[in-house]
Amino acid sequence: MSAAFDLFLAHLVLGVHLGVILFNVAGLIVVPLGAWRRWSWVRGCFWRAAHLLSMAVVAAQAAMGRACFLTLWQSELLRDAGRQGYAAGLIQTWIDRLIFWNLPLSVFTVLYLAVGVYTLALWWRVPPRCGRARAQPSSNAKRASSTSGQSP
């Protein structure tokens, strides 16, 4: 592959990584807020399962002492493109500094495991609605059953 294409892929991976981070953080905030505000959509099974799985991957990588596979993939693509570090435009550099903190991996391990436990707790505290919902009788059927046996 050419260096320009590797650099394009590295930027694409960065964009995906940012999207995953936003999805994970948004879920941590929106689920309890939505439960409090009684937003029924926060109990959607598919997106809640996707959020739980995504957070489980983050926590598992941290527990294994590994950096995120997206970070590793982006770094490899940058090296293949002949780049060192994150020499890029202003916006990309700002996003990189926002996402990639220069702290020991143990700090992230504790943080990601705690967030993983929090996400799991949300699964039980604000359970998703999976499967088919029971059909609710219509209001006419309710009135008919409550008046049956009575004369008009």
Side-chain angles (χ1 to χ4, degrees):
M1 282 191 266
S2 72
F5 187 66
D6 287 334
L7 187 58
F8 168 76
L9 289 177
H11 292 161
L12 187 63
V13 170
L14 175 63
V16 169
H17 201 176
L18 182 60
V20 169
I21 291 168
L22 291 174
F23 172 73
N24 286 343
V25 171
L28 296 172
I29 296 167
V30 168
V31 170
L33 178 64
W36 175 64
R37 302 283 301 161
R38 298 192 192 322
W39 297 335
S40 61
W41 63 269
V42 300
R43 294 180 186 267
C45 190
F46 178 75
W47 90 269
R48 288 290 302 279
H51 184 253
L52 182 65
L53 178 63
S54 182
M55 294 304 300
V57 168
V58 169
Q61 289 175 146
M64 291 185 293
R66 293 183 163 173
C68 176
F69 66 91
L70 291 171
T71 301
L72 299 175
W73 192 16
Q74 182 188 8
S75 294
E76 183 179 332
L77 287 166
L78 285 171
R79 280 193 304 275
D80 290 349
R83 297 276 179 117
Q84 256 187 344
Y86 293 102
L90 177 64
I91 301 296
Q92 183 183 348
T93 301
W94 179 78
I95 291 170
D96 282 340
R97 289 184 181 163
L98 181 67
I99 294 173
F100 304 110
W101 299 342
N102 191 18
L103 296 171
L105 188 57
S106 60
V107 171
F108 293 103
T109 300
V110 171
L111 177 66
Y112 293 153
L113 289 175
V115 170
V117 168
Y118 173 70
T119 305
L120 201 53
L122 282 177
W123 187 268
W124 277 280
R125 183 76 175 116
V126 184
R129 292 196 178 102
C130 298
R132 293 185 178 193
R134 286 189 221 152
Q136 297 293 325
S138 69
S139 58
N140 291 338
K142 286 180 187 175
R143 274 188 262 132
S145 68
S146 66
T147 60
S148 59
Q150 298 176 358
S151 58

CSV table of all heavy atoms in Angstrom, one decimal, residues 31-82:
chain,number,residue,atom,x,y,z
A,31,VAL,N,-28.4,6.4,29.6
A,31,VAL,CA,-29.2,5.4,30.2
A,31,VAL,C,-29.8,5.8,31.5
A,31,VAL,O,-31.0,5.7,31.7
A,31,VAL,CB,-28.4,4.0,30.2
A,31,VAL,CG1,-29.2,3.0,31.1
A,31,VAL,CG2,-28.2,3.5,28.8
A,32,PRO,N,-28.9,6.2,32.5
A,32,PRO,CA,-29.5,6.6,33.8
A,32,PRO,C,-30.4,7.9,33.6
A,32,PRO,O,-31.4,8.0,34.3
A,32,PRO,CB,-28.3,6.8,34.7
A,32,PRO,CG,-27.1,6.9,33.8
A,32,PRO,CD,-27.5,6.2,32.5
A,33,LEU,N,-30.0,8.8,32.8
A,33,LEU,CA,-30.8,10.0,32.6
A,33,LEU,C,-32.1,9.6,32.0
A,33,LEU,O,-33.2,10.1,32.4
A,33,LEU,CB,-30.1,11.0,31.7
A,33,LEU,CG,-30.8,12.3,31.3
A,33,LEU,CD1,-31.0,13.1,32.6
A,33,LEU,CD2,-30.0,13.1,30.3
A,34,GLY,N,-32.1,8.8,31.0
A,34,GLY,CA,-33.4,8.3,30.3
A,34,GLY,C,-34.3,7.5,31.3
A,34,GLY,O,-35.5,7.7,31.2
A,35,ALA,N,-33.7,6.7,32.1
A,35,ALA,CA,-34.5,6.0,33.1
A,35,ALA,C,-35.2,7.0,34.1
A,35,ALA,O,-36.4,6.9,34.4
A,35,ALA,CB,-33.6,5.0,33.9
A,36,TRP,N,-34.4,8.0,34.5
A,36,TRP,CA,-35.0,9.0,35.4
A,36,TRP,C,-36.1,9.8,34.7
A,36,TRP,O,-37.1,10.1,35.3
A,36,TRP,CB,-33.8,9.9,35.9
A,36,TRP,CG,-34.3,11.1,36.7
A,36,TRP,CD1,-34.9,11.0,37.9
A,36,TRP,CD2,-34.1,12.4,36.4
A,36,TRP,NE1,-35.1,12.3,38.4
A,36,TRP,CE2,-34.7,13.2,37.5
A,36,TRP,CE3,-33.6,13.1,35.3
A,36,TRP,CZ2,-34.7,14.6,37.4
A,36,TRP,CZ3,-33.6,14.5,35.3
A,36,TRP,CH2,-34.2,15.2,36.4
A,37,ARG,N,-35.9,10.1,33.4
A,37,ARG,CA,-36.8,10.9,32.7
A,37,ARG,C,-37.9,10.1,32.0
A,37,ARG,O,-38.8,10.6,31.3
A,37,ARG,CB,-36.1,11.7,31.6
A,37,ARG,CG,-35.0,12.7,32.0
A,37,ARG,CD,-35.6,13.9,32.6
A,37,ARG,NE,-36.4,14.6,31.6
A,37,ARG,CZ,-37.2,15.5,31.9
A,37,ARG,NH1,-37.5,15.9,33.1
A,37,ARG,NH2,-37.9,16.1,30.9
A,38,ARG,N,-37.9,8.8,32.2
A,38,ARG,CA,-38.8,7.8,31.7
A,38,ARG,C,-38.8,7.8,30.2
A,38,ARG,O,-39.9,7.7,29.5
A,38,ARG,CB,-40.2,8.0,32.2
A,38,ARG,CG,-40.3,7.9,33.7
A,38,ARG,CD,-41.7,7.8,34.2
A,38,ARG,NE,-42.1,7.9,35.6
A,38,ARG,CZ,-41.5,7.5,36.6
A,38,ARG,NH1,-40.4,6.8,36.5
A,38,ARG,NH2,-42.0,7.6,37.8
A,39,TRP,N,-37.7,7.8,29.6
A,39,TRP,CA,-37.6,7.7,28.1
A,39,TRP,C,-37.5,6.2,27.8
A,39,TRP,O,-36.6,5.5,28.1
A,39,TRP,CB,-36.3,8.3,27.6
A,39,TRP,CG,-36.2,9.8,27.8
A,39,TRP,CD1,-37.2,10.7,27.9
A,39,TRP,CD2,-35.0,10.6,27.9
A,39,TRP,NE1,-36.7,12.0,28.1
A,39,TRP,CE2,-35.4,11.9,28.1
A,39,TRP,CE3,-33.6,10.3,27.8
A,39,TRP,CZ2,-34.4,13.0,28.2
A,39,TRP,CZ3,-32.7,11.3,27.9
A,39,TRP,CH2,-33.1,12.6,28.1
A,40,SER,N,-38.5,5.7,27.1
A,40,SER,CA,-38.6,4.3,26.8
A,40,SER,C,-37.5,3.8,25.9
A,40,SER,O,-37.1,2.6,26.0
A,40,SER,CB,-40.0,3.9,26.3
A,40,SER,OG,-40.2,4.6,25.0
A,41,TRP,N,-37.0,4.6,25.0
A,41,TRP,CA,-36.0,4.2,24.0
A,41,TRP,C,-34.7,3.8,24.7
A,41,TRP,O,-33.9,3.1,24.1
A,41,TRP,CB,-35.8,5.2,23.0
A,41,TRP,CG,-35.3,6.5,23.4
A,41,TRP,CD1,-36.0,7.6,23.8
A,41,TRP,CD2,-33.9,6.9,23.6
A,41,TRP,NE1,-35.1,8.6,24.2
A,41,TRP,CE2,-33.9,8.2,24.1
A,41,TRP,CE3,-32.7,6.2,23.3
A,41,TRP,CZ2,-32.7,8.9,24.3
A,41,TRP,CZ3,-31.5,6.9,23.6
A,41,TRP,CH2,-31.5,8.2,24.1
A,42,VAL,N,-34.4,4.3,25.9
A,42,VAL,CA,-33.1,3.9,26.5
A,42,VAL,C,-33.1,2.4,26.9
A,42,VAL,O,-32.1,1.9,27.3
A,42,VAL,CB,-32.8,4.8,27.7
A,42,VAL,CG1,-32.7,6.2,27.3
A,42,VAL,CG2,-33.7,4.6,28.9
A,43,ARG,N,-34.2,1.8,26.9
A,43,ARG,CA,-34.3,0.4,27.2
A,43,ARG,C,-34.3,-0.5,25.9
A,43,ARG,O,-34.5,-1.7,26.0
A,43,ARG,CB,-35.6,0.1,28.0
A,43,ARG,CG,-35.5,0.7,29.4
A,43,ARG,CD,-36.8,0.4,30.2
A,43,ARG,NE,-36.8,1.2,31.4
A,43,ARG,CZ,-36.4,0.7,32.6
A,43,ARG,NH1,-35.9,-0.5,32.7
A,43,ARG,NH2,-36.5,1.5,33.6
A,44,GLY,N,-34.0,0.1,24.8
A,44,GLY,CA,-33.9,-0.7,23.6
A,44,GLY,C,-32.8,-1.8,23.6
A,44,GLY,O,-31.7,-1.5,24.0
A,45,CYS,N,-33.2,-3.0,23.3
A,45,CYS,CA,-32.3,-4.1,23.5
A,45,CYS,C,-31.1,-4.1,22.7
A,45,CYS,O,-30.0,-4.4,23.2
A,45,CYS,CB,-33.1,-5.4,23.3
A,45,CYS,SG,-32.3,-6.9,23.8
A,46,PHE,N,-31.2,-3.8,21.4
A,46,PHE,CA,-30.1,-3.9,20.5
A,46,PHE,C,-29.0,-2.9,20.9
A,46,PHE,O,-27.8,-3.3,21.0
A,46,PHE,CB,-30.5,-3.6,19.0
A,46,PHE,CG,-29.4,-3.7,18.1
A,46,PHE,CD1,-28.8,-4.8,17.7
A,46,PHE,CD2,-28.9,-2.5,17.6
A,46,PHE,CE1,-27.7,-4.8,16.8
A,46,PHE,CE2,-27.8,-2.5,16.7
A,46,PHE,CZ,-27.2,-3.7,16.3
A,47,TRP,N,-29.3,-1.7,21.1
A,47,TRP,CA,-28.3,-0.7,21.4
A,47,TRP,C,-27.7,-0.9,22.7
A,47,TRP,O,-26.5,-0.6,23.0
A,47,TRP,CB,-28.7,0.7,21.1
A,47,TRP,CG,-29.4,1.5,22.1
A,47,TRP,CD1,-30.7,1.6,22.4
A,47,TRP,CD2,-28.7,2.3,23.1
A,47,TRP,NE1,-30.9,2.4,23.5
A,47,TRP,CE2,-29.7,2.9,23.9
A,47,TRP,CE3,-27.4,2.7,23.4
A,47,TRP,CZ2,-29.4,3.7,25.0
A,47,TRP,CZ3,-27.1,3.5,24.4
A,47,TRP,CH2,-28.1,4.0,25.2
A,48,ARG,N,-28.5,-1.3,23.7
A,48,ARG,CA,-28.0,-1.6,25.0
A,48,ARG,C,-27.1,-2.8,25.0
A,48,ARG,O,-26.0,-2.8,25.7
A,48,ARG,CB,-29.2,-1.9,26.0
A,48,ARG,CG,-30.0,-0.7,26.4
A,48,ARG,CD,-29.3,0.3,27.2
A,48,ARG,NE,-28.8,-0.3,28.5
A,48,ARG,CZ,-29.6,-0.4,29.5
A,48,ARG,NH1,-30.9,-0.1,29.5
A,48,ARG,NH2,-29.1,-1.0,30.6
A,49,ALA,N,-27.4,-3.8,24.2
A,49,ALA,CA,-26.5,-5.0,24.1
A,49,ALA,C,-25.2,-4.6,23.4
A,49,ALA,O,-24.1,-5.0,23.8
A,49,ALA,CB,-27.2,-6.1,23.4
A,50,ALA,N,-25.3,-3.7,22.4
A,50,ALA,CA,-24.1,-3.2,21.7
A,50,ALA,C,-23.2,-2.4,22.7
A,50,ALA,O,-22.0,-2.6,22.7
A,50,ALA,CB,-24.5,-2.4,20.5
A,51,HIS,N,-23.8,-1.6,23.5
A,51,HIS,CA,-23.1,-0.8,24.5
A,51,HIS,C,-22.4,-1.7,25.5
A,51,HIS,O,-21.2,-1.5,25.8
A,51,HIS,CB,-24.1,0.2,25.1
A,51,HIS,CG,-23.4,1.1,26.1
A,51,HIS,ND1,-23.5,1.0,27.4
A,51,HIS,CD2,-22.5,2.2,25.8
A,51,HIS,CE1,-22.7,2.0,28.0
A,51,HIS,NE2,-22.2,2.7,27.0
A,52,LEU,N,-23.2,-2.7,26.0
A,52,LEU,CA,-22.6,-3.6,27.0
A,52,LEU,C,-21.4,-4.4,26.4
A,52,LEU,O,-20.3,-4.5,27.0
A,52,LEU,CB,-23.6,-4.5,27.5
A,52,LEU,CG,-23.2,-5.5,28.6
A,52,LEU,CD1,-22.8,-4.8,29.9
A,52,LEU,CD2,-24.3,-6.5,28.9
A,53,LEU,N,-21.6,-4.8,25.2
A,53,LEU,CA,-20.5,-5.6,24.5
A,53,LEU,C,-19.3,-4.7,24.3
A,53,LEU,O,-18.1,-5.1,24.5
A,53,LEU,CB,-21.0,-6.2,23.2
A,53,LEU,CG,-19.9,-6.9,22.3
A,53,LEU,CD1,-19.5,-8.1,23.1
A,53,LEU,CD2,-20.5,-7.3,21.0
A,54,SER,N,-19.5,-3.5,23.8
A,54,SER,CA,-18.4,-2.5,23.6
A,54,SER,C,-17.6,-2.2,24.9
A,54,SER,O,-16.4,-2.2,24.9
A,54,SER,CB,-18.9,-1.3,23.0
A,54,SER,OG,-17.9,-0.4,22.7
A,55,MET,N,-18.4,-2.0,25.9
A,55,MET,CA,-17.7,-1.7,27.2
A,55,MET,C,-17.0,-3.0,27.8
A,55,MET,O,-16.0,-2.9,28.4
A,55,MET,CB,-18.7,-1.2,28.2
A,55,MET,CG,-19.3,0.2,27.9
A,55,MET,SD,-18.1,1.5,27.6
A,55,MET,CE,-17.3,1.5,29.2
A,56,ALA,N,-17.6,-4.1,27.5
A,56,ALA,CA,-16.9,-5.4,27.9
A,56,ALA,C,-15.6,-5.6,27.2
A,56,ALA,O,-14.6,-6.0,27.8
A,56,ALA,CB,-17.8,-6.6,27.7
A,57,VAL,N,-15.5,-5.2,25.9
A,57,VAL,CA,-14.3,-5.3,25.2
A,57,VAL,C,-13.2,-4.4,25.7
A,57,VAL,O,-12.1,-4.8,25.9
A,57,VAL,CB,-14.5,-5.1,23.6
A,57,VAL,CG1,-13.2,-4.9,22.9
A,57,VAL,CG2,-15.3,-6.2,23.0
A,58,VAL,N,-13.7,-3.2,26.0
A,58,VAL,CA,-12.7,-2.2,26.6
A,58,VAL,C,-12.2,-2.7,28.0
A,58,VAL,O,-11.0,-2.7,28.2
A,58,VAL,CB,-13.5,-0.8,26.8
A,58,VAL,CG1,-12.6,0.1,27.6
A,58,VAL,CG2,-13.8,-0.2,25.4
A,59,ALA,N,-13.1,-3.2,28.8
A,59,ALA,CA,-12.7,-3.7,30.1
A,59,ALA,C,-11.8,-4.9,30.0
A,59,ALA,O,-10.8,-5.0,30.7
A,59,ALA,CB,-13.9,-4.0,31.0
A,60,ALA,N,-12.1,-5.8,29.1
A,60,ALA,CA,-11.3,-7.0,28.9
A,60,ALA,C,-9.9,-6.7,28.4
A,60,ALA,O,-8.9,-7.3,28.9
A,60,ALA,CB,-12.0,-8.0,27.9
A,61,GLN,N,-9.8,-5.8,27.5
A,61,GLN,CA,-8.5,-5.3,27.0
A,61,GLN,C,-7.7,-4.7,28.1
A,61,GLN,O,-6.5,-5.0,28.3
A,61,GLN,CB,-8.6,-4.3,25.9
A,61,GLN,CG,-9.1,-4.9,24.6
A,61,GLN,CD,-9.4,-3.8,23.5
A,61,GLN,OE1,-9.2,-4.1,22.4
A,61,GLN,NE2,-9.8,-2.6,23.9
A,62,ALA,N,-8.3,-3.9,29.0
A,62,ALA,CA,-7.6,-3.3,30.1
A,62,ALA,C,-7.2,-4.4,31.1
A,62,ALA,O,-6.1,-4.3,31.6
A,62,ALA,CB,-8.5,-2.3,30.8
A,63,ALA,N,-8.1,-5.3,31.4
A,63,ALA,CA,-7.7,-6.4,32.3
A,63,ALA,C,-6.6,-7.3,31.8
A,63,ALA,O,-5.8,-7.8,32.7
A,63,ALA,CB,-9.0,-7.3,32.6
A,64,MET,N,-6.4,-7.4,30.5
A,64,MET,CA,-5.3,-8.2,30.0
A,64,MET,C,-4.1,-7.3,29.8
A,64,MET,O,-3.0,-7.8,29.4
A,64,MET,CB,-5.7,-8.7,28.6
A,64,MET,CG,-6.8,-9.8,28.7
A,64,MET,SD,-7.1,-10.6,27.1
A,64,MET,CE,-7.9,-9.3,26.2
A,65,GLY,N,-4.2,-6.1,30.2
A,65,GLY,CA,-3.0,-5.2,30.1
A,65,GLY,C,-2.6,-4.8,28.7
A,65,GLY,O,-1.5,-4.5,28.4
A,66,ARG,N,-3.6,-4.8,27.8
A,66,ARG,CA,-3.4,-4.4,26.4
A,66,ARG,C,-4.0,-3.1,26.1
A,66,ARG,O,-5.0,-2.7,26.6
A,66,ARG,CB,-4.1,-5.4,25.5
A,66,ARG,CG,-3.5,-6.8,25.6
A,66,ARG,CD,-4.2,-7.7,24.6
A,66,ARG,NE,-3.4,-8.9,24.4
A,66,ARG,CZ,-3.8,-9.9,23.7
A,66,ARG,NH1,-5.0,-9.9,23.1
A,66,ARG,NH2,-3.0,-10.9,23.5
A,67,ALA,N,-3.4,-2.4,25.2
A,67,ALA,CA,-3.9,-1.1,24.7
A,67,ALA,C,-5.1,-1.5,23.7
A,67,ALA,O,-5.1,-2.6,23.2
A,67,ALA,CB,-2.9,-0.3,24.0
A,68,CYS,N,-5.9,-0.6,23.5
A,68,CYS,CA,-7.1,-0.8,22.6
A,68,CYS,C,-6.5,-1.2,21.2
A,68,CYS,O,-5.6,-0.6,20.7
A,68,CYS,CB,-7.9,0.5,22.5
A,68,CYS,SG,-9.2,0.4,21.3
A,69,PHE,N,-7.2,-2.2,20.6
A,69,PHE,CA,-6.8,-2.7,19.3
A,69,PHE,C,-6.9,-1.6,18.2
A,69,PHE,O,-6.1,-1.6,17.3
A,69,PHE,CB,-7.5,-3.9,18.9
A,69,PHE,CG,-9.0,-3.7,18.6
A,69,PHE,CD1,-9.4,-3.4,17.4
A,69,PHE,CD2,-9.9,-3.8,19.6
A,69,PHE,CE1,-10.8,-3.2,17.1
A,69,PHE,CE2,-11.3,-3.7,19.4
A,69,PHE,CZ,-11.7,-3.4,18.1
A,70,LEU,N,-7.8,-0.6,18.4
A,70,LEU,CA,-7.9,0.5,17.4
A,70,LEU,C,-6.7,1.4,17.5
A,70,LEU,O,-6.2,1.9,16.5
A,70,LEU,CB,-9.2,1.2,17.6
A,70,LEU,CG,-10.5,0.5,17.3
A,70,LEU,CD1,-11.7,1.3,17.7
A,70,LEU,CD2,-10.5,0.2,15.8
A,71,THR,N,-6.2,1.6,18.8
A,71,THR,CA,-5.0,2.4,19.0
A,71,THR,C,-3.8,1.8,18.3
A,71,THR,O,-3.0,2.4,17.6
A,71,THR,CB,-4.8,2.6,20.5
A,71,THR,OG1,-5.9,3.3,21.1
A,71,THR,CG2,-3.5,3.5,20.7
A,72,LEU,N,-3.7,0.5,18.6
A,72,LEU,CA,-2.6,-0.3,18.0
A,72,LEU,C,-2.6,-0.3,16.4
A,72,LEU,O,-1.6,-0.1,15.8
A,72,LEU,CB,-2.5,-1.7,18.5
A,72,LEU,CG,-2.4,-1.9,20.0
A,72,LEU,CD1,-2.5,-3.3,20.4
A,72,LEU,CD2,-1.1,-1.3,20.5
A,73,TRP,N,-3.8,-0.5,15.9
A,73,TRP,CA,-4.0,-0.5,14.5
A,73,TRP,C,-3.6,0.9,13.9
A,73,TRP,O,-3.0,1.0,12.9
A,73,TRP,CB,-5.4,-0.9,14.2
A,73,TRP,CG,-5.7,-1.2,12.7
A,73,TRP,CD1,-4.8,-1.5,11.7
A,73,TRP,CD2,-7.0,-1.3,12.1
A,73,TRP,NE1,-5.4,-1.8,10.6
A,73,TRP,CE2,-6.8,-1.7,10.8
A,73,TRP,CE3,-8.3,-1.2,12.6
A,73,TRP,CZ2,-7.8,-1.9,9.9
A,73,TRP,CZ3,-9.3,-1.4,11.7
A,73,TRP,CH2,-9.1,-1.7,10.4
A,74,GLN,N,-4.1,2.0,14.5
A,74,GLN,CA,-3.8,3.3,14.0
A,74,GLN,C,-2.3,3.6,14.0
A,74,GLN,O,-1.8,4.1,13.1
A,74,GLN,CB,-4.6,4.3,14.8
A,74,GLN,CG,-4.3,5.7,14.3
A,74,GLN,CD,-4.9,6.8,15.1
A,74,GLN,OE1,-5.4,6.6,16.2
A,74,GLN,NE2,-4.8,8.1,14.7
A,75,SER,N,-1.7,3.2,15.1
A,75,SER,CA,-0.2,3.4,15.3
A,75,SER,C,0.5,2.7,14.2
A,75,SER,O,1.5,3.2,13.6
A,75,SER,CB,0.2,3.0,16.6
A,75,SER,OG,-0.3,3.8,17.6
A,76,GLU,N,0.1,1.5,13.9
A,76,GLU,CA,0.8,0.7,12.9
A,76,GLU,C,0.6,1.3,11.5
A,76,GLU,O,1.6,1.4,10.7
A,76,GLU,CB,0.3,-0.8,12.9
A,76,GLU,CG,0.9,-1.7,11.9
A,76,GLU,CD,0.4,-3.1,11.9
A,76,GLU,OE1,-0.1,-3.5,13.0
A,76,GLU,OE2,0.5,-3.7,10.9
A,77,LEU,N,-0.6,1.8,11.2
A,77,LEU,CA,-0.8,2.4,10.0
A,77,LEU,C,0.0,3.7,9.8
A,77,LEU,O,0.5,4.1,8.7
A,77,LEU,CB,-2.3,2.7,9.8
A,77,LEU,CG,-3.2,1.5,9.5
A,77,LEU,CD1,-4.7,1.8,9.7
A,77,LEU,CD2,-2.9,1.0,8.1
A,78,LEU,N,0.1,4.5,10.9
A,78,LEU,CA,0.9,5.7,10.9
A,78,LEU,C,2.3,5.4,10.6
A,78,LEU,O,3.0,6.1,9.8
A,78,LEU,CB,0.7,6.5,12.2
A,78,LEU,CG,-0.6,7.2,12.4
A,78,LEU,CD1,-0.7,7.8,13.8
A,78,LEU,CD2,-0.7,8.3,11.4
A,79,ARG,N,2.9,4.3,11.3
A,79,ARG,CA,4.3,3.9,11.0
A,79,ARG,C,4.4,3.5,9.5
A,79,ARG,O,5.4,3.8,8.9
A,79,ARG,CB,4.7,2.8,11.9
A,79,ARG,CG,5.1,3.3,13.3
A,79,ARG,CD,5.8,2.2,14.1
A,79,ARG,NE,5.0,0.9,14.2
A,79,ARG,CZ,4.0,0.7,15.1
A,79,ARG,NH1,3.8,1.7,16.0
A,79,ARG,NH2,3.3,-0.4,15.2
A,80,ASP,N,3.5,2.7,9.0
A,80,ASP,CA,3.5,2.3,7.6
A,80,ASP,C,3.5,3.5,6.7
A,80,ASP,O,4.0,3.4,5.6
A,80,ASP,CB,2.4,1.3,7.3
A,80,ASP,CG,2.5,0.0,8.0
A,80,ASP,OD1,3.6,-0.3,8.5
A,80,ASP,OD2,1.5,-0.8,8.0
A,81,ALA,N,2.8,4.6,7.1
A,81,ALA,CA,2.7,5.8,6.3
A,81,ALA,C,4.0,6.6,6.4
A,81,ALA,O,4.1,7.7,5.8
A,81,ALA,CB,1.5,6.6,6.6
A,82,GLY,N,4.9,6.2,7.2
A,82,GLY,CA,6.2,6.9,7.4
A,82,GLY,C,6.1,8.1,8.4
A,82,GLY,O,6.9,9.0,8.5
